[in-house]
Amino acid sequence: MKVLIIEDDQELLRNILKYFDSFGYVMEKAKTLKEGQLKIEQHNYDCVILDLNLPDGDGITLLNLIKLKDHKTGVIILSANSSLETKISGLEFGADDYLTKPFHLSELNARVKSIVRRNQFEGSNDIIFNEIKINTNSLDVSVHNKKIKLTKKEYELLLYMVINKNRVLTKQSISDHIWGDFIERNASYDYIYSHLKNLRRKIMEKEGKDYIQTIYGIGYKFSEIED
Amino acid sequence: MKINKYNIIVISIIALVTAGVITTLVQLLFIGKNNITYSILITFLIVAVTLFFYDFLITKRLKQSMSRFISQIKQGNFESKKSTIIKKYDFVTLTDIPVALSQIVGEIQKDTNEQKRYIENVSHELMTPIAIIRGKLELVIQSDKIESQDLLLISDILSKLERLKRVNESLVLLSKLDNNQYPSSTEVNLSSIIEEILNLFEDQIRIKELTIKKIIPDDFVFTMNENLAYILIKNVIKNAVNHSVNNGFINIDSNKNKIIISNAGLILQTSPNKLFERFAIGSETNDSIGLGLSIMLKICEISSIKIDYTHKKGIHTISLKF
């Protein structure tokens, strides 16, 4: 998978590259509108992460070019402006998704994966982690080929964790992803725990392994069990 | 004090005419043998002096009140440009006032535009560093070498960052409300918005084991900005959920054009009026930033909704009169 990031902030760029590092994507970067334009003209990308506020202009002007080159290229807009109006106009210009700063790196990863899945495979895609299989088209989940019945939140939770596998996910990022950022949080995040507990139980009932680790004080991690 | 030359001419003419009229009247009534010119002169002088004195007093009072008015404006918004303002608003005649006022309005318009740009810039400038710090911390916690005590420290930093982000977002929203950036309004169904938001909070409601009772006609509509309706209801319900005691209740009731939301919470420590001030925090039950109520108040103000809060023995009631 080939991803282009057009972002002028050096530090933000470095964060994204580092987080995406071990997921096996081919990452390319551009720091200006011009540089980005050049790269888009020369190469094909599965996904472009596009900051709107670039030193030499508004990133939105690149949207047309990207979609003209290859309409399957997914575009995620990054913006510091959280107002609904900018969000809507970004999507009207042909972006696939819109992410407001400050975002979680794990959230950006989930969005990239979701868009690429949607645009490239026309929806027929299974995500497999050992004995666990998630069909993102029918929303079915099976363990050892036995179907398990998950609630919408449990499904979202599992998908988010599998996509960000081997990464520590903060409770905050999980909460933002599933519940949206409207909730006035209290430090405990009890509601995440109660859904995770059910998810764990349902997987283990079908003899699936417990891949969900609790990382004390911070959050959770979905990863291979080390012996 | 200088008496304007126009004033002198006007007063002289009035005095002359009045003197003439009065003298003629006196002459007609008493058919006097006195010198007519002499009596005209005396009357003219009396009337003229009275008018000048009157003019003097009026002008003085006008000037005093004007300078008070100006000094009030000066203390308000124009601190940085003090000197030019004082010179410009040294009123001499009444005709200066419109000129001066239009200058003030111009300044205010300039300031308002500046403020809007400033808010946008602040929002952008703060969100990027917050994104970077949060990203770095997300990367740090991936390391195997990190001790669990350190994870707790990082968790604290993350939650403070989250707070910073929320304060920033809320302040931006408040300024947008102040600047009236939500003009469009449509007919919104409040009953379905309430239903939708209750669904969003279902986990908190379940964990706190709250009993929800909602009695609102399905066609309860009101014409206002839809986003604002959503934010308002969200804040009201969020408050009710967050400040509820475990096993408590939330009642959502309606009465003609009123929606009344009450919940069982702790007994209030601060005065209810103080709660609506920015950054006022009533209790320590959660990580509140104290801007929710002023956002609600502002939305109600611009949507002409009357909001009322009462508290009685742990029962908190918010009523919205549409």
Side-chain angles (χ1 to χ4, degrees), chain A residues 180-187 191, chain B residues 163 166 201 204 235 238-239 242 286-292:
Chain A
D181 65 353
F182 66 92
I183 281 176
E184 193 97 359
R185 289 168 196 85
N186 41 21
Y191 48 95
Chain B
R163 193 184 163 90
R166 264 168 30 220
F201 284 94
Q204 278 92 329
N235 273 290
K238 184 165 79 182
N239 274 333
N242 281 335
N286 68 352
D287 194 21
S288 148
I289 57 169
L291 284 172

Short mmCIF file of all heavy atoms in Angstrom, two decimals, chain A residues 180-187 191, chain B residues 163 166 201 204 235 238-239 242 286-292:
data_model
loop_
_atom_site.label_atom_id
_atom_site.label_comp_id
_atom_site.label_asym_id
_atom_site.label_seq_id
_atom_site.Cartn_x
_atom_site.Cartn_y
_atom_site.Cartn_z
N GLY A 180 -17.16 8.93 19.85
CA GLY A 180 -17.10 10.31 19.38
C GLY A 180 -16.51 11.17 20.47
O GLY A 180 -16.38 10.74 21.61
N ASP A 181 -16.15 12.39 20.14
CA ASP A 181 -15.44 13.16 21.17
C ASP A 181 -16.37 14.08 21.96
O ASP A 181 -15.96 15.05 22.55
CB ASP A 181 -14.27 13.95 20.55
CG ASP A 181 -14.76 15.01 19.59
OD1 ASP A 181 -15.97 15.01 19.30
OD2 ASP A 181 -13.93 15.80 19.11
N PHE A 182 -17.65 13.71 21.97
CA PHE A 182 -18.59 14.58 22.67
C PHE A 182 -18.65 14.29 24.16
O PHE A 182 -19.14 15.09 24.94
CB PHE A 182 -19.99 14.41 22.08
CG PHE A 182 -20.55 13.04 22.35
CD1 PHE A 182 -21.32 12.83 23.47
CD2 PHE A 182 -20.25 11.98 21.51
CE1 PHE A 182 -21.81 11.57 23.73
CE2 PHE A 182 -20.74 10.73 21.77
CZ PHE A 182 -21.51 10.51 22.88
N ILE A 183 -18.15 13.12 24.53
CA ILE A 183 -18.38 12.70 25.91
C ILE A 183 -17.44 13.41 26.88
O ILE A 183 -16.24 13.48 26.65
CB ILE A 183 -18.24 11.17 26.02
CG1 ILE A 183 -19.52 10.52 25.52
CG2 ILE A 183 -17.93 10.74 27.43
CD1 ILE A 183 -19.49 9.04 25.47
N GLU A 184 -18.01 13.96 27.92
CA GLU A 184 -17.20 14.55 28.97
C GLU A 184 -16.60 13.37 29.73
O GLU A 184 -17.29 12.61 30.36
CB GLU A 184 -18.08 15.38 29.90
CG GLU A 184 -17.32 16.26 30.82
CD GLU A 184 -17.21 17.68 30.28
OE1 GLU A 184 -17.73 17.95 29.18
OE2 GLU A 184 -16.61 18.49 30.95
N ARG A 185 -15.30 13.21 29.61
CA ARG A 185 -14.72 11.99 30.16
C ARG A 185 -14.43 12.11 31.64
O ARG A 185 -14.06 13.15 32.12
CB ARG A 185 -13.43 11.68 29.43
CG ARG A 185 -13.72 11.22 28.04
CD ARG A 185 -12.45 11.19 27.27
NE ARG A 185 -12.80 11.13 25.87
CZ ARG A 185 -13.08 12.18 25.16
NH1 ARG A 185 -13.03 13.37 25.70
NH2 ARG A 185 -13.42 12.08 23.91
N ASN A 186 -14.59 10.99 32.28
CA ASN A 186 -14.02 10.92 33.60
C ASN A 186 -12.85 9.95 33.50
O ASN A 186 -12.76 9.17 32.56
CB ASN A 186 -15.05 10.47 34.63
CG ASN A 186 -15.92 9.37 34.07
OD1 ASN A 186 -15.55 8.70 33.13
ND2 ASN A 186 -17.07 9.18 34.65
N ALA A 187 -11.95 10.05 34.43
CA ALA A 187 -10.68 9.35 34.29
C ALA A 187 -10.82 7.84 34.13
O ALA A 187 -9.95 7.19 33.59
CB ALA A 187 -9.80 9.66 35.49
N TYR A 191 -16.84 2.68 30.64
CA TYR A 191 -17.67 2.15 29.56
C TYR A 191 -16.86 1.35 28.55
O TYR A 191 -17.36 0.43 27.94
CB TYR A 191 -18.46 3.27 28.89
CG TYR A 191 -17.66 4.49 28.54
CD1 TYR A 191 -17.12 4.66 27.28
CD2 TYR A 191 -17.44 5.49 29.49
CE1 TYR A 191 -16.38 5.79 26.96
CE2 TYR A 191 -16.70 6.61 29.18
CZ TYR A 191 -16.17 6.76 27.93
OH TYR A 191 -15.44 7.87 27.62
N ARG B 163 -7.83 18.09 28.09
CA ARG B 163 -8.52 19.22 28.70
C ARG B 163 -8.20 20.52 27.95
O ARG B 163 -9.08 21.32 27.65
CB ARG B 163 -8.08 19.32 30.16
CG ARG B 163 -8.90 20.22 31.01
CD ARG B 163 -8.27 20.28 32.38
NE ARG B 163 -8.77 21.41 33.12
CZ ARG B 163 -9.84 21.37 33.89
NH1 ARG B 163 -10.50 20.25 34.02
NH2 ARG B 163 -10.25 22.43 34.53
N ARG B 166 -10.09 20.64 24.85
CA ARG B 166 -11.51 20.92 25.03
C ARG B 166 -11.77 22.37 25.37
O ARG B 166 -12.72 22.98 24.90
CB ARG B 166 -12.09 19.99 26.09
CG ARG B 166 -12.74 18.78 25.48
CD ARG B 166 -13.07 17.71 26.47
NE ARG B 166 -13.39 18.18 27.79
CZ ARG B 166 -12.97 17.57 28.90
NH1 ARG B 166 -12.26 16.48 28.82
NH2 ARG B 166 -13.30 18.05 30.07
N PHE B 201 -25.43 8.61 25.10
CA PHE B 201 -24.99 8.51 26.49
C PHE B 201 -25.40 7.19 27.14
O PHE B 201 -25.32 7.06 28.35
CB PHE B 201 -25.51 9.69 27.31
CG PHE B 201 -24.76 10.97 27.04
CD1 PHE B 201 -25.22 11.87 26.11
CD2 PHE B 201 -23.60 11.26 27.73
CE1 PHE B 201 -24.53 13.05 25.86
CE2 PHE B 201 -22.90 12.43 27.49
CZ PHE B 201 -23.36 13.32 26.55
N GLN B 204 -22.96 5.54 29.74
CA GLN B 204 -22.86 6.20 31.04
C GLN B 204 -24.13 5.99 31.85
O GLN B 204 -24.08 5.80 33.05
CB GLN B 204 -22.63 7.71 30.87
CG GLN B 204 -21.19 8.07 30.63
CD GLN B 204 -20.89 8.11 29.16
OE1 GLN B 204 -21.49 7.39 28.36
NE2 GLN B 204 -19.97 8.96 28.78
N ASN B 235 -25.42 19.45 25.77
CA ASN B 235 -24.88 19.98 27.01
C ASN B 235 -25.82 19.76 28.19
O ASN B 235 -25.38 19.45 29.29
CB ASN B 235 -24.57 21.47 26.86
CG ASN B 235 -23.18 21.69 26.29
OD1 ASN B 235 -22.19 21.44 26.97
ND2 ASN B 235 -23.12 22.12 25.06
N LYS B 238 -25.74 16.04 28.96
CA LYS B 238 -24.41 15.71 29.49
C LYS B 238 -24.30 16.13 30.96
O LYS B 238 -23.84 15.36 31.80
CB LYS B 238 -23.33 16.41 28.66
CG LYS B 238 -21.92 16.06 29.06
CD LYS B 238 -20.95 16.49 28.00
CE LYS B 238 -20.67 17.97 28.09
NZ LYS B 238 -19.75 18.42 27.02
N ASN B 239 -24.75 17.34 31.24
CA ASN B 239 -24.73 17.81 32.63
C ASN B 239 -25.56 16.93 33.52
O ASN B 239 -25.16 16.56 34.62
CB ASN B 239 -25.27 19.24 32.71
CG ASN B 239 -24.19 20.25 32.46
OD1 ASN B 239 -23.02 19.99 32.71
ND2 ASN B 239 -24.57 21.41 31.96
N ASN B 242 -23.72 13.57 33.95
CA ASN B 242 -22.48 13.68 34.73
C ASN B 242 -22.72 14.03 36.19
O ASN B 242 -21.98 13.60 37.06
CB ASN B 242 -21.55 14.73 34.12
CG ASN B 242 -20.82 14.19 32.93
OD1 ASN B 242 -20.62 12.98 32.82
ND2 ASN B 242 -20.43 15.06 32.02
N ASN B 286 -16.41 15.51 38.29
CA ASN B 286 -15.75 15.10 37.05
C ASN B 286 -14.75 16.15 36.59
O ASN B 286 -14.52 17.15 37.25
CB ASN B 286 -16.78 14.83 35.96
CG ASN B 286 -17.47 16.09 35.54
OD1 ASN B 286 -17.29 17.14 36.16
ND2 ASN B 286 -18.24 16.02 34.50
N ASP B 287 -14.20 15.90 35.44
CA ASP B 287 -13.13 16.72 34.92
C ASP B 287 -13.70 17.84 34.07
O ASP B 287 -13.31 18.04 32.93
CB ASP B 287 -12.23 15.79 34.10
CG ASP B 287 -10.90 16.45 33.79
OD1 ASP B 287 -10.54 17.38 34.52
OD2 ASP B 287 -10.26 16.02 32.82
N SER B 288 -14.65 18.57 34.62
CA SER B 288 -15.36 19.58 33.83
C SER B 288 -14.48 20.81 33.62
O SER B 288 -13.63 21.13 34.43
CB SER B 288 -16.64 19.94 34.55
OG SER B 288 -16.98 21.27 34.32
N ILE B 289 -14.69 21.51 32.52
CA ILE B 289 -13.90 22.71 32.28
C ILE B 289 -14.69 23.97 32.56
O ILE B 289 -14.18 25.07 32.44
CB ILE B 289 -13.35 22.75 30.83
CG1 ILE B 289 -14.48 22.65 29.82
CG2 ILE B 289 -12.34 21.66 30.62
CD1 ILE B 289 -14.04 22.94 28.40
N GLY B 290 -15.95 23.81 32.94
CA GLY B 290 -16.72 24.97 33.37
C GLY B 290 -17.15 25.92 32.27
O GLY B 290 -17.38 27.09 32.52
N LEU B 291 -17.22 25.43 31.05
CA LEU B 291 -17.68 26.31 29.97
C LEU B 291 -19.04 25.88 29.41
O LEU B 291 -19.67 26.63 28.70
CB LEU B 291 -16.64 26.33 28.84
CG LEU B 291 -15.40 27.17 29.11
CD1 LEU B 291 -14.37 26.97 28.02
CD2 LEU B 291 -15.74 28.64 29.23
N GLY B 292 -19.46 24.68 29.77
CA GLY B 292 -20.71 24.13 29.23
C GLY B 292 -21.91 25.03 29.48
O GLY B 292 -22.69 25.30 28.57
#
